[in-house]
Amino acid sequence: MDQEDRIALFLDYENLALGVRDHHGGRAFDLRPIADALAERGRVVVRRAYADWSYFDEDRRMLTRSHVELIEIPQRMGASRKNAADIKMAVDAVELAFEREYISTFVIGTGDSDFTPLVHKLRELNKRVIGVGVENSTSALLPPACDEFLFYDRLEGVEVPPAAGRRGRAARPAGTGAPPPAERPAEPPTEPTVETAPAAEEPARDVDTLSVLVAQTVAGMQGSASGEVTASGLKRTLLRKDPTFSESDYGFRTFGELLRHLAGHNVIELAAGPAKGDPEVSLPERGDREVAFALLRSVVVDLAGEGGAAALSGLKDQLRRARPDFSEKKLGYRSFLQFCKAAATSGAVELRWSAEAEDYLLTPHTA
């Protein structure tokens, strides 16, 4: 048990409940998918939800059955209930961070960018922060601030309605926890977030793009860190680059399954790591790189002719004419210039800067 992460869960409940209602065709918020996702990450020792519970009677019963402590933020005339909930939740989270040193991870359930300073403060206190929010009602500012961000819509067990059902604001069906319109106070609940992400259709996530991301990340880790790159370290780095990253978005059940797929396509190589189930990840040293260097040399020869030189500008387009699927990033290089420098180091070409041409010039390597 000592090795388990201790997790504190804080829910800005009105933000989540209204976000699910508005973007999931009037469906009610369900805590179970979040609880299941957190159970895979550690032991949840604190569960608190903040709202004016007179709006969410049925939801209150569901949360109580899940052992969530309900913090009442009552409606007050002439005061902002939203700000009262935000301040109370932020104060409680920071207080708990100081009082309970054994809590290593804080989960902030909201899509509101007002909680970004809280996330920064918790990370300053050496706490890991996981955000949870409804995709179309989450501020674009919040996910990058977190160590990891889980979109409620993508969690296992959440039924997402068709896109057409998410365009309009659907009426809330009976039994979702909010009182009928006639029973609601004159002041409507605040919207779940001030700044929301665009509601445009998300582009399809293709594995080729993922291959480039993984290859670049492995190359950067190999160049900047001592020792081997492990699968667990790679996953943490990918999450630092993009806290919303999840292998399930690309159709893989586990990160190991993703790595095996990429290894099968010669994007990476896997070897036994320091711990069972945590393999070492590296980039192929030969094969595709040598083929790419040979391709570069042949294109330079065709362009330069006898005793000539080819300019770096426009050279990548020439390579793609010869090989349409060429991408230096798939080989682990951040730029085409970095790829050409590696080719020069290998002896495939010679590379020099020309002040006259104001460009790099490449010539075929001569012995």
Side-chain angles (χ1 to χ4, degrees), residues 186-227:
E187 182 185 5
T190 54
E191 288 300 315
T193 183
V194 176
E195 300 176 48
T196 59
E201 288 292 323
E202 183 183 1
R205 296 170 180 259
D206 66 281
V207 180
D208 285 342
T209 302
L210 178 62
S211 300
V212 172
L213 174 64
V214 172
Q216 282 183 303
T217 303
V218 173
M221 294 176 70
Q222 287 180 329
S224 62
S226 58

mmCIF file of all heavy atoms in Angstrom, residues 186-227:
data_model
loop_
_atom_site.group_PDB
_atom_site.id
_atom_site.type_symbol
_atom_site.label_atom_id
_atom_site.label_comp_id
_atom_site.label_asym_id
_atom_site.label_seq_id
_atom_site.Cartn_x
_atom_site.Cartn_y
_atom_site.Cartn_z
ATOM 1 N N ALA A 186 -34.886 32.519 -9.439
ATOM 2 C CA ALA A 186 -34.885 33.473 -10.549
ATOM 3 C C ALA A 186 -33.529 33.536 -11.209
ATOM 4 O O ALA A 186 -33.408 33.685 -12.415
ATOM 5 C CB ALA A 186 -35.287 34.855 -10.029
ATOM 6 N N GLU A 187 -32.435 33.449 -10.419
ATOM 7 C CA GLU A 187 -31.091 33.522 -10.995
ATOM 8 C C GLU A 187 -30.691 32.141 -11.490
ATOM 9 O O GLU A 187 -30.602 31.201 -10.702
ATOM 10 C CB GLU A 187 -30.093 33.990 -9.941
ATOM 11 C CG GLU A 187 -28.685 34.133 -10.501
ATOM 12 C CD GLU A 187 -27.688 34.468 -9.411
ATOM 13 O OE1 GLU A 187 -28.085 34.487 -8.232
ATOM 14 O OE2 GLU A 187 -26.531 34.716 -9.737
ATOM 15 N N PRO A 188 -30.452 31.968 -12.791
ATOM 16 C CA PRO A 188 -30.086 30.647 -13.309
ATOM 17 C C PRO A 188 -28.694 30.265 -12.879
ATOM 18 O O PRO A 188 -27.888 31.127 -12.526
ATOM 19 C CB PRO A 188 -30.176 30.836 -14.832
ATOM 20 C CG PRO A 188 -29.879 32.295 -15.031
ATOM 21 C CD PRO A 188 -30.463 32.994 -13.840
ATOM 22 N N PRO A 189 -28.388 28.977 -12.891
ATOM 23 C CA PRO A 189 -27.038 28.550 -12.550
ATOM 24 C C PRO A 189 -26.036 29.140 -13.516
ATOM 25 O O PRO A 189 -26.345 29.364 -14.685
ATOM 26 C CB PRO A 189 -27.100 27.014 -12.683
ATOM 27 C CG PRO A 189 -28.546 26.689 -12.682
ATOM 28 C CD PRO A 189 -29.259 27.855 -13.211
ATOM 29 N N THR A 190 -24.851 29.394 -13.025
ATOM 30 C CA THR A 190 -23.806 29.928 -13.900
ATOM 31 C C THR A 190 -23.420 28.887 -14.926
ATOM 32 O O THR A 190 -23.522 27.691 -14.698
ATOM 33 C CB THR A 190 -22.575 30.295 -13.062
ATOM 34 O OG1 THR A 190 -22.192 29.152 -12.312
ATOM 35 C CG2 THR A 190 -22.870 31.459 -12.145
ATOM 36 N N GLU A 191 -22.960 29.362 -16.055
ATOM 37 C CA GLU A 191 -22.502 28.441 -17.093
ATOM 38 C C GLU A 191 -21.267 27.705 -16.610
ATOM 39 O O GLU A 191 -20.505 28.211 -15.784
ATOM 40 C CB GLU A 191 -22.176 29.221 -18.380
ATOM 41 C CG GLU A 191 -23.410 29.730 -19.098
ATOM 42 C CD GLU A 191 -24.323 28.592 -19.510
ATOM 43 O OE1 GLU A 191 -23.825 27.601 -20.040
ATOM 44 O OE2 GLU A 191 -25.532 28.692 -19.273
ATOM 45 N N PRO A 192 -21.001 26.514 -17.117
ATOM 46 C CA PRO A 192 -19.918 25.711 -16.587
ATOM 47 C C PRO A 192 -18.544 26.305 -16.787
ATOM 48 O O PRO A 192 -17.639 25.989 -16.082
ATOM 49 C CB PRO A 192 -20.054 24.381 -17.347
ATOM 50 C CG PRO A 192 -20.938 24.665 -18.506
ATOM 51 C CD PRO A 192 -21.788 25.806 -18.128
ATOM 52 N N THR A 193 -18.354 27.207 -17.729
ATOM 53 C CA THR A 193 -17.027 27.781 -17.925
ATOM 54 C C THR A 193 -17.138 29.081 -18.686
ATOM 55 O O THR A 193 -18.099 29.308 -19.428
ATOM 56 C CB THR A 193 -16.092 26.821 -18.678
ATOM 57 O OG1 THR A 193 -14.807 27.424 -18.769
ATOM 58 C CG2 THR A 193 -16.597 26.533 -20.085
ATOM 59 N N VAL A 194 -16.178 29.943 -18.495
ATOM 60 C CA VAL A 194 -16.182 31.222 -19.195
ATOM 61 C C VAL A 194 -15.582 31.059 -20.582
ATOM 62 O O VAL A 194 -16.146 31.458 -21.581
ATOM 63 C CB VAL A 194 -15.385 32.275 -18.386
ATOM 64 C CG1 VAL A 194 -15.310 33.575 -19.153
ATOM 65 C CG2 VAL A 194 -16.046 32.488 -17.034
ATOM 66 N N GLU A 195 -14.396 30.452 -20.636
ATOM 67 C CA GLU A 195 -13.745 30.239 -21.916
ATOM 68 C C GLU A 195 -13.893 28.780 -22.283
ATOM 69 O O GLU A 195 -13.478 27.908 -21.540
ATOM 70 C CB GLU A 195 -12.254 30.582 -21.823
ATOM 71 C CG GLU A 195 -12.002 32.021 -21.425
ATOM 72 C CD GLU A 195 -10.524 32.257 -21.260
ATOM 73 O OE1 GLU A 195 -9.756 31.865 -22.145
ATOM 74 O OE2 GLU A 195 -10.146 32.811 -20.234
ATOM 75 N N THR A 196 -14.504 28.503 -23.394
ATOM 76 C CA THR A 196 -14.705 27.127 -23.802
ATOM 77 C C THR A 196 -13.922 26.826 -25.036
ATOM 78 O O THR A 196 -13.639 27.702 -25.847
ATOM 79 C CB THR A 196 -16.192 26.838 -24.069
ATOM 80 O OG1 THR A 196 -16.647 27.715 -25.102
ATOM 81 C CG2 THR A 196 -17.021 27.041 -22.815
ATOM 82 N N ALA A 197 -13.575 25.552 -25.171
ATOM 83 C CA ALA A 197 -12.872 25.127 -26.369
ATOM 84 C C ALA A 197 -13.832 25.173 -27.547
ATOM 85 O O ALA A 197 -15.038 25.052 -27.385
ATOM 86 C CB ALA A 197 -12.341 23.696 -26.190
ATOM 87 N N PRO A 198 -13.316 25.355 -28.771
ATOM 88 C CA PRO A 198 -14.176 25.398 -29.940
ATOM 89 C C PRO A 198 -14.987 24.116 -30.052
ATOM 90 O O PRO A 198 -14.522 23.029 -29.753
ATOM 91 C CB PRO A 198 -13.176 25.527 -31.097
ATOM 92 C CG PRO A 198 -11.938 26.082 -30.489
ATOM 93 C CD PRO A 198 -11.918 25.552 -29.088
ATOM 94 N N ALA A 199 -16.222 24.267 -30.511
ATOM 95 C CA ALA A 199 -17.106 23.117 -30.628
ATOM 96 C C ALA A 199 -16.986 22.421 -31.969
ATOM 97 O O ALA A 199 -17.794 21.593 -32.313
ATOM 98 C CB ALA A 199 -18.560 23.563 -30.427
ATOM 99 N N ALA A 200 -15.963 22.782 -32.744
ATOM 100 C CA ALA A 200 -15.795 22.164 -34.057
ATOM 101 C C ALA A 200 -15.467 20.690 -33.919
ATOM 102 O O ALA A 200 -14.974 20.234 -32.884
ATOM 103 C CB ALA A 200 -14.678 22.873 -34.815
ATOM 104 N N GLU A 201 -15.741 19.953 -34.970
ATOM 105 C CA GLU A 201 -15.451 18.530 -34.963
ATOM 106 C C GLU A 201 -13.954 18.307 -34.788
ATOM 107 O O GLU A 201 -13.134 18.973 -35.416
ATOM 108 C CB GLU A 201 -15.910 17.905 -36.280
ATOM 109 C CG GLU A 201 -17.422 17.806 -36.408
ATOM 110 C CD GLU A 201 -18.009 16.813 -35.427
ATOM 111 O OE1 GLU A 201 -17.371 15.784 -35.178
ATOM 112 O OE2 GLU A 201 -19.098 17.076 -34.903
ATOM 113 N N GLU A 202 -13.578 17.384 -33.917
ATOM 114 C CA GLU A 202 -12.175 17.073 -33.711
ATOM 115 C C GLU A 202 -11.646 16.251 -34.881
ATOM 116 O O GLU A 202 -12.288 15.303 -35.317
ATOM 117 C CB GLU A 202 -12.013 16.274 -32.424
ATOM 118 C CG GLU A 202 -10.558 15.979 -32.107
ATOM 119 C CD GLU A 202 -10.445 15.122 -30.862
ATOM 120 O OE1 GLU A 202 -11.471 14.774 -30.289
ATOM 121 O OE2 GLU A 202 -9.311 14.808 -30.485
ATOM 122 N N PRO A 203 -10.477 16.619 -35.441
ATOM 123 C CA PRO A 203 -9.945 15.850 -36.555
ATOM 124 C C PRO A 203 -9.595 14.437 -36.127
ATOM 125 O O PRO A 203 -9.287 14.173 -34.969
ATOM 126 C CB PRO A 203 -8.678 16.638 -36.950
ATOM 127 C CG PRO A 203 -8.317 17.421 -35.724
ATOM 128 C CD PRO A 203 -9.607 17.723 -35.038
ATOM 129 N N ALA A 204 -9.672 13.534 -37.065
ATOM 130 C CA ALA A 204 -9.361 12.136 -36.772
ATOM 131 C C ALA A 204 -7.921 12.005 -36.319
ATOM 132 O O ALA A 204 -7.023 12.637 -36.856
ATOM 133 C CB ALA A 204 -9.604 11.296 -38.022
ATOM 134 N N ARG A 205 -7.698 11.177 -35.327
ATOM 135 C CA ARG A 205 -6.353 10.970 -34.804
ATOM 136 C C ARG A 205 -5.741 9.793 -35.546
ATOM 137 O O ARG A 205 -6.219 8.678 -35.444
ATOM 138 C CB ARG A 205 -6.402 10.692 -33.296
ATOM 139 C CG ARG A 205 -6.921 11.862 -32.489
ATOM 140 C CD ARG A 205 -7.167 11.453 -31.054
ATOM 141 N NE ARG A 205 -7.666 12.586 -30.291
ATOM 142 C CZ ARG A 205 -6.902 13.308 -29.474
ATOM 143 N NH1 ARG A 205 -5.637 13.031 -29.316
ATOM 144 N NH2 ARG A 205 -7.416 14.325 -28.810
ATOM 145 N N ASP A 206 -4.683 10.047 -36.315
ATOM 146 C CA ASP A 206 -4.094 8.965 -37.091
ATOM 147 C C ASP A 206 -2.787 8.524 -36.458
ATOM 148 O O ASP A 206 -2.085 9.302 -35.810
ATOM 149 C CB ASP A 206 -3.874 9.396 -38.550
ATOM 150 C CG ASP A 206 -2.832 10.490 -38.659
ATOM 151 O OD1 ASP A 206 -3.159 11.660 -38.398
ATOM 152 O OD2 ASP A 206 -1.677 10.167 -38.970
ATOM 153 N N VAL A 207 -2.462 7.268 -36.667
ATOM 154 C CA VAL A 207 -1.295 6.670 -36.029
ATOM 155 C C VAL A 207 -0.007 7.220 -36.614
ATOM 156 O O VAL A 207 1.025 7.253 -35.942
ATOM 157 C CB VAL A 207 -1.361 5.135 -36.169
ATOM 158 C CG1 VAL A 207 -0.156 4.477 -35.514
ATOM 159 C CG2 VAL A 207 -2.638 4.612 -35.512
ATOM 160 N N ASP A 208 -0.024 7.687 -37.866
ATOM 161 C CA ASP A 208 1.182 8.282 -38.450
ATOM 162 C C ASP A 208 1.610 9.516 -37.669
ATOM 163 O O ASP A 208 2.798 9.724 -37.395
ATOM 164 C CB ASP A 208 0.940 8.656 -39.913
ATOM 165 C CG ASP A 208 0.931 7.434 -40.819
ATOM 166 O OD1 ASP A 208 1.438 6.385 -40.383
ATOM 167 O OD2 ASP A 208 0.416 7.519 -41.937
ATOM 168 N N THR A 209 0.643 10.356 -37.309
ATOM 169 C CA THR A 209 0.953 11.529 -36.493
ATOM 170 C C THR A 209 1.512 11.107 -35.136
ATOM 171 O O THR A 209 2.449 11.715 -34.616
ATOM 172 C CB THR A 209 -0.309 12.388 -36.294
ATOM 173 O OG1 THR A 209 -0.823 12.771 -37.573
ATOM 174 C CG2 THR A 209 -0.004 13.632 -35.489
ATOM 175 N N LEU A 210 0.928 10.074 -34.563
ATOM 176 C CA LEU A 210 1.413 9.553 -33.290
ATOM 177 C C LEU A 210 2.834 9.013 -33.428
ATOM 178 O O LEU A 210 3.670 9.200 -32.538
ATOM 179 C CB LEU A 210 0.475 8.462 -32.796
ATOM 180 C CG LEU A 210 0.861 7.774 -31.490
ATOM 181 C CD1 LEU A 210 0.874 8.776 -30.341
ATOM 182 C CD2 LEU A 210 -0.102 6.641 -31.180
ATOM 183 N N SER A 211 3.133 8.353 -34.540
ATOM 184 C CA SER A 211 4.479 7.817 -34.770
ATOM 185 C C SER A 211 5.518 8.933 -34.748
ATOM 186 O O SER A 211 6.596 8.789 -34.159
ATOM 187 C CB SER A 211 4.532 7.087 -36.113
ATOM 188 O OG SER A 211 3.623 6.016 -36.157
ATOM 189 N N VAL A 212 5.172 10.053 -35.390
ATOM 190 C CA VAL A 212 6.083 11.204 -35.404
ATOM 191 C C VAL A 212 6.307 11.721 -33.988
ATOM 192 O O VAL A 212 7.442 11.987 -33.576
ATOM 193 C CB VAL A 212 5.511 12.318 -36.308
ATOM 194 C CG1 VAL A 212 6.331 13.587 -36.171
ATOM 195 C CG2 VAL A 212 5.489 11.858 -37.761
ATOM 196 N N LEU A 213 5.222 11.855 -33.219
ATOM 197 C CA LEU A 213 5.322 12.355 -31.846
ATOM 198 C C LEU A 213 6.204 11.455 -30.993
ATOM 199 O O LEU A 213 7.082 11.931 -30.258
ATOM 200 C CB LEU A 213 3.930 12.468 -31.240
ATOM 201 C CG LEU A 213 3.861 12.842 -29.755
ATOM 202 C CD1 LEU A 213 4.419 14.225 -29.531
ATOM 203 C CD2 LEU A 213 2.425 12.746 -29.244
ATOM 204 N N VAL A 214 5.986 10.145 -31.072
ATOM 205 C CA VAL A 214 6.760 9.203 -30.262
ATOM 206 C C VAL A 214 8.232 9.211 -30.675
ATOM 207 O O VAL A 214 9.131 9.242 -29.824
ATOM 208 C CB VAL A 214 6.164 7.785 -30.374
ATOM 209 C CG1 VAL A 214 7.081 6.764 -29.700
ATOM 210 C CG2 VAL A 214 4.783 7.735 -29.742
ATOM 211 N N ALA A 215 8.493 9.199 -31.985
ATOM 212 C CA ALA A 215 9.881 9.184 -32.459
ATOM 213 C C ALA A 215 10.613 10.447 -32.029
ATOM 214 O O ALA A 215 11.762 10.394 -31.575
ATOM 215 C CB ALA A 215 9.917 9.036 -33.982
ATOM 216 N N GLN A 216 9.963 11.599 -32.152
ATOM 217 C CA GLN A 216 10.584 12.855 -31.725
ATOM 218 C C GLN A 216 10.870 12.835 -30.223
ATOM 219 O O GLN A 216 11.930 13.278 -29.779
ATOM 220 C CB GLN A 216 9.653 14.031 -32.038
ATOM 221 C CG GLN A 216 9.639 14.456 -33.480
ATOM 222 C CD GLN A 216 8.752 15.666 -33.680
ATOM 223 O OE1 GLN A 216 7.568 15.648 -33.362
ATOM 224 N NE2 GLN A 216 9.309 16.724 -34.208
ATOM 225 N N THR A 217 9.923 12.323 -29.451
ATOM 226 C CA THR A 217 10.074 12.307 -28.000
ATOM 227 C C THR A 217 11.206 11.386 -27.575
ATOM 228 O O THR A 217 12.028 11.739 -26.717
ATOM 229 C CB THR A 217 8.755 11.874 -27.336
ATOM 230 O OG1 THR A 217 7.706 12.748 -27.757
ATOM 231 C CG2 THR A 217 8.872 11.927 -25.824
ATOM 232 N N VAL A 218 11.272 10.200 -28.169
ATOM 233 C CA VAL A 218 12.355 9.269 -27.843
ATOM 234 C C VAL A 218 13.704 9.873 -28.214
ATOM 235 O O VAL A 218 14.677 9.787 -27.449
ATOM 236 C CB VAL A 218 12.152 7.917 -28.552
ATOM 237 C CG1 VAL A 218 13.358 7.012 -28.353
ATOM 238 C CG2 VAL A 218 10.895 7.224 -28.031
ATOM 239 N N ALA A 219 13.791 10.511 -29.402
ATOM 240 C CA ALA A 219 15.046 11.129 -29.823
ATOM 241 C C ALA A 219 15.470 12.223 -28.859
ATOM 242 O O ALA A 219 16.646 12.336 -28.494
ATOM 243 C CB ALA A 219 14.893 11.694 -31.235
ATOM 244 N N GLY A 220 14.502 13.041 -28.424
ATOM 245 C CA GLY A 220 14.831 14.095 -27.475
ATOM 246 C C GLY A 220 15.277 13.563 -26.132
ATOM 247 O O GLY A 220 16.222 14.085 -25.530
ATOM 248 N N MET A 221 14.632 12.497 -25.652
ATOM 249 C CA MET A 221 15.007 11.910 -24.372
ATOM 250 C C MET A 221 16.387 11.255 -24.460
ATOM 251 O O MET A 221 17.184 11.330 -23.517
ATOM 252 C CB MET A 221 13.962 10.891 -23.932
ATOM 253 C CG MET A 221 12.603 11.495 -23.605
ATOM 254 S SD MET A 221 11.351 10.259 -23.190
ATOM 255 C CE MET A 221 11.959 9.676 -21.596
ATOM 256 N N GLN A 222 16.682 10.618 -25.590
ATOM 257 C CA GLN A 222 17.998 10.001 -25.760
ATOM 258 C C GLN A 222 19.092 11.056 -25.793
ATOM 259 O O GLN A 222 20.203 10.827 -25.312
ATOM 260 C CB GLN A 222 18.029 9.176 -27.043
ATOM 261 C CG GLN A 222 17.246 7.876 -26.960
ATOM 262 C CD GLN A 222 17.299 7.083 -28.256
ATOM 263 O OE1 GLN A 222 17.401 7.650 -29.345
ATOM 264 N NE2 GLN A 222 17.216 5.763 -28.147
ATOM 265 N N GLY A 223 18.774 12.225 -26.349
ATOM 266 C CA GLY A 223 19.779 13.271 -26.463
ATOM 267 C C GLY A 223 19.978 14.083 -25.207
ATOM 268 O O GLY A 223 21.045 14.668 -25.019
ATOM 269 N N SER A 224 18.956 14.132 -24.336
ATOM 270 C CA SER A 224 19.043 15.018 -23.172
ATOM 271 C C SER A 224 19.155 14.296 -21.848
ATOM 272 O O SER A 224 19.478 14.904 -20.832
ATOM 273 C CB SER A 224 17.810 15.929 -23.129
ATOM 274 O OG SER A 224 16.632 15.156 -22.985
ATOM 275 N N ALA A 225 18.886 13.005 -21.814
ATOM 276 C CA ALA A 225 18.907 12.263 -20.551
ATOM 277 C C ALA A 225 19.952 11.158 -20.599
ATOM 278 O O ALA A 225 20.232 10.602 -21.656
ATOM 279 C CB ALA A 225 17.532 11.659 -20.264
ATOM 280 N N SER A 226 20.514 10.884 -19.445
ATOM 281 C CA SER A 226 21.475 9.795 -19.357
ATOM 282 C C SER A 226 20.742 8.500 -19.047
ATOM 283 O O SER A 226 19.732 8.484 -18.348
ATOM 284 C CB SER A 226 22.509 10.083 -18.252
ATOM 285 O OG SER A 226 21.868 10.263 -17.009
ATOM 286 N N GLY A 227 21.242 7.419 -19.578
ATOM 287 C CA GLY A 227 20.608 6.139 -19.330
ATOM 288 C C GLY A 227 19.554 5.828 -20.365
ATOM 289 O O GLY A 227 19.311 6.578 -21.310
#
